[in-house]
Amino acid sequence: MEFELIAKTFMGLEQVLAQELTQMGANNVQIGRRMVSFTGDKEMMYRANFQLHTAIRILKPIKHFKARSAEEVYDEIQKIDWSEYILKGKTFSVDSVVYSEEFRNSRFVTYKVKDAIVDQFREKHGTRPNISVSNPDIRLHIHIADNDATLCLDSSGESLHRRGYRQESVEAPLNEVLAAGMILMSGWKADTDFIDPMCGSGTLAIEAALIARNISPGVFRKEFAFEKWNDFDQELFDAIYNDDTQEREFEHHIYGYDIDMKAVNTARLNVKAAGLSKEITIEQQDFKDFTKPANKSIIITNPPYGERISTPNLLGTYKMIGERLKHEFGGNDAWILSYREECFEQIGLKPSIKIPLFNGSLECEFRKYTLFDGKMKEFRQEGGIVKSEEEKREMAQKHRFKKNREFKERLEAEAANEEGDIRSFQFHSLSNDRPSYNRNNREDGRGRFNRGEEDEFDYGDRSKFRGSKRNFKNNKRDFKGRSRGVRDDYEDHDDFRPRRKDNGFKPRRGRDAKDGNRRRDKQYDRNNSFDNFDNED
């Protein structure tokens, strides 16, 4: 039986996530803001959590209703038979996101939902379930926009960006989901070498290897929230977990470089924990010493923005990047994610495409540079393509995040709701008259971003995304005084854990590991290897 599901993601990655879902076989794929809705069965929900590279969270709606007053919310929640979801002795938690004139405080809504559930148990059974904020058995999420409310089960639990391979981190680490989205957005098909010349803790390199090998990012995780549900199918999930038939060999290589030896050692540790030492080489090297690679390659990198990382002569760094690309990377493509227009200007190269992306709360751009030797005219005469037709369409929408700047003020004013809550959205029931995203017509259903109404779906023309001319100068765009790469509720913590309490970490077959069952036979001595490692939930 199919049911409605919601996959949350970063602003700007909705199209990539929709493609992933379509390739996975999801039905009724529709794009919204920071989310993609779809339908599927239990297996699809498990696979979405386990296999998607660009999803932050998978939610399962269980009730849509009107919320015109606190009493109405209470009454609607009481209509649900909660014994179907919360068994005796189990704990639960409620997360609320509210954009409503009636409800000004999301915590009030949280308490109202909690009271309705607890009161029902008291009336029917004489006992009540307990609340657990840190590690509940059942996670609930309610979203209220105006008078429309949707209550969901959170099937993911901990944010899906927490892959489980990160042992240590560096300053201003790149979110894993954003890194995967950048790679998929670039169109890299694992048909060339991959280079990150400013690799930090190695996130881009590791995500590139997972994509190249078609390895499910969920294989490193300790658990998912749906594993605590009453109807959890252990046999079905084990089959999904242990199925590596879609994995493939990678015939090229991935290189990560960084000037900081501490970052190099951190990246190497993370690569080893992911079991990808065969695919990835990490070395210490300054970008200014970068020389032309021997093989066809792509560069995807995330240089410092001068926000969270203190970088002497920031503009000089970007000028050096441009010079290295121009003189040592001809015949290849380079993609750079950055934040300041003045930094991009120092690169001194004309991008073929500019894609707006949010890195935390910073409104960045992801730019592609097509490098070639000689003059543009000669390059085109030889059949070279600077901009594809798809890239031209993207460039026509390059300012789509700039419309309705009052959204920034709203984020600052509503600090409680803004606190990194990328899960906020408004649900719409699936209907036949809305365009869908499918294999045959992938232009359909593209959403737009109306910054004055942050979380409402809009299935209109994506061209309405764009707004006024971009101006990075004289505008720090540092929401709430925070800086580059702020991760909010997906804040980077050392998130390595053994998959099961009695199992330990399971390195994967063929990559720094022994052969065996991926779920049960792989061992990793966390205590002996990382004596000072402090796990944080």
Side-chain angles (χ1 to χ4, degrees), residues 206 267-277 505 507 511-512 524:
I206 294 172
R268 287 173 175 171
L269 186 63
N270 293 335
V271 168
K272 184 177 181 179
L276 295 167
S277 299
F505 177 73
R511 294 180 287 113
D512 308 317
Y524 193 92

Side-chain angles (χ1 to χ4, degrees), residues 341-358:
E341 181 66 29
E342 57 265 36
C343 291
F344 279 121
E345 289 176 353
Q346 292 299 314
I347 292 177
L349 300 171
K350 186 176 181 180
S352 60
I353 186 171
K354 305 176 185 178
I355 302 174
L357 282 178
F358 274 89

Side-chain angles (χ1 to χ4, degrees), residues 436-452:
S436 62
Y437 192 100
N438 55 59
R439 293 183 177 87
N440 298 323
N441 185 4
R442 296 191 176 182
E443 294 298 312
D444 288 347
R446 294 185 173 184
R448 66 175 181 177
F449 181 57
N450 181 339
R451 305 196 72 166

Side-chain angles (χ1 to χ4, degrees), residues 126-145:
T127 58
R128 52 154 289 176
N130 291 323
I131 306 295
S132 174
V133 176
S134 60
N135 188 31
D137 296 307
I138 301 297
R139 296 173 184 259
L140 300 172
H141 177 86
I142 183 170
H143 179 272
I144 298 178

Side-chain angles (χ1 to χ4, degrees), residues 1-7 17-18 20-31 35-48 52 58-61 64 427-432 434-439 457 459:
M1 181 183 71
E2 290 203 348
F3 43 82
E4 181 184 5
L5 290 162
I6 299 291
L17 176 55
E20 281 200 276
L21 283 165
T22 300
Q23 291 167 3
M24 191 180 292
N27 296 321
N28 300 303
V29 179
Q30 299 185 27
I31 297 173
M35 55 74 64
V36 177
S37 66
F38 62 104
T39 59
D41 55 14
K42 186 183 295 185
E43 180 180 354
M44 178 58 63
M45 183 181 69
Y46 291 176
R47 289 190 179 278
L52 290 175
I58 308 298
L59 301 174
K60 179 184 178 182
H64 302 272
F427 288 98
H428 288 250
S429 59
L430 297 168
S431 60
N432 294 329
R434 286 198 182 94
S436 62
Y437 192 100
N438 55 59
R439 293 183 177 87
F457 284 7
Y459 299 98

Side-chain angles (χ1 to χ4, degrees), residues 11 33-34 99 146 403-404 406-407 410 426 448-458:
M11 179 61 64
R33 278 186 206 102
R34 299 187 294 176
Y99 295 98
D146 295 327
K403 192 174 182 180
N404 300 327
E406 66 270 17
F407 174 68
R410 180 172 181 173
Q426 175 180 340
R448 66 175 181 177
F449 181 57
N450 181 339
R451 305 196 72 166
E453 300 177 39
E454 178 189 359
D455 299 307
E456 184 178 356
F457 284 7
D458 191 314

Side-chain angles (χ1 to χ4, degrees), residues 298-466:
I298 186 174
I299 282 179
I300 301 181
T301 193
N302 175 44
Y305 308 160
E307 289 291 309
R308 196 173 173 188
I309 297 178
S310 177
T311 305
N313 193 15
L314 181 67
L315 298 183
T317 297
Y318 278 81
K319 184 176 181 180
M320 174 271 294
I321 291 173
E323 291 174 347
R324 289 293 88 193
L325 293 179
K326 182 177 180 180
H327 297 296
E328 299 292 343
F329 207 57
N332 298 296
D333 293 334
W335 290 77
I336 297 176
L337 178 72
S338 193
Y339 169 58
R340 300 173 182 272
E341 181 66 29
E342 57 265 36
C343 291
F344 279 121
E345 289 176 353
Q346 292 299 314
I347 292 177
L349 300 171
K350 186 176 181 180
S352 60
I353 186 171
K354 305 176 185 178
I355 302 174
L357 282 178
F358 274 89
N359 185 359
S361 58
L362 295 180
E363 192 173 333
C364 301
E365 277 193 348
F366 190 39
R367 296 190 179 187
K368 176 185 178 182
Y369 298 91
T370 300
L371 290 309
F372 52 88
D373 299 317
K375 296 182 179 180
M376 173 77 75
K377 183 177 180 181
E378 296 173 352
F379 177 72
R380 284 177 168 163
Q381 286 177 345
E382 294 173 357
I385 299 176
V386 178
K387 289 183 186 178
S388 66
E389 292 302 316
E390 176 63 25
E391 289 171 349
K392 289 178 181 178
R393 288 192 293 269
E394 290 285 347
M395 283 293 283
Q397 307 169 51
K398 64 182 179 181
H399 301 308
R400 57 189 179 272
F401 281 175
K402 292 301 175 182
K403 192 174 182 180
N404 300 327
R405 294 302 307 170
E406 66 270 17
F407 174 68
K408 177 182 175 181
E409 298 175 4
R410 180 172 181 173
L411 283 180
E412 294 170 334
E414 301 185 19
N417 278 342
E418 188 276 337
E419 196 71 24
D421 194 343
I422 59 173
R423 292 167 291 173
S424 54
F425 57 90
Q426 175 180 340
F427 288 98
H428 288 250
S429 59
L430 297 168
S431 60
N432 294 329
D433 59 346
R434 286 198 182 94
S436 62
Y437 192 100
N438 55 59
R439 293 183 177 87
N440 298 323
N441 185 4
R442 296 191 176 182
E443 294 298 312
D444 288 347
R446 294 185 173 184
R448 66 175 181 177
F449 181 57
N450 181 339
R451 305 196 72 166
E453 300 177 39
E454 178 189 359
D455 299 307
E456 184 178 356
F457 284 7
D458 191 314
Y459 299 98
D461 188 348
R462 190 179 178 189
S463 65
K464 296 176 183 178
F465 246 150
R466 56 183 180 268

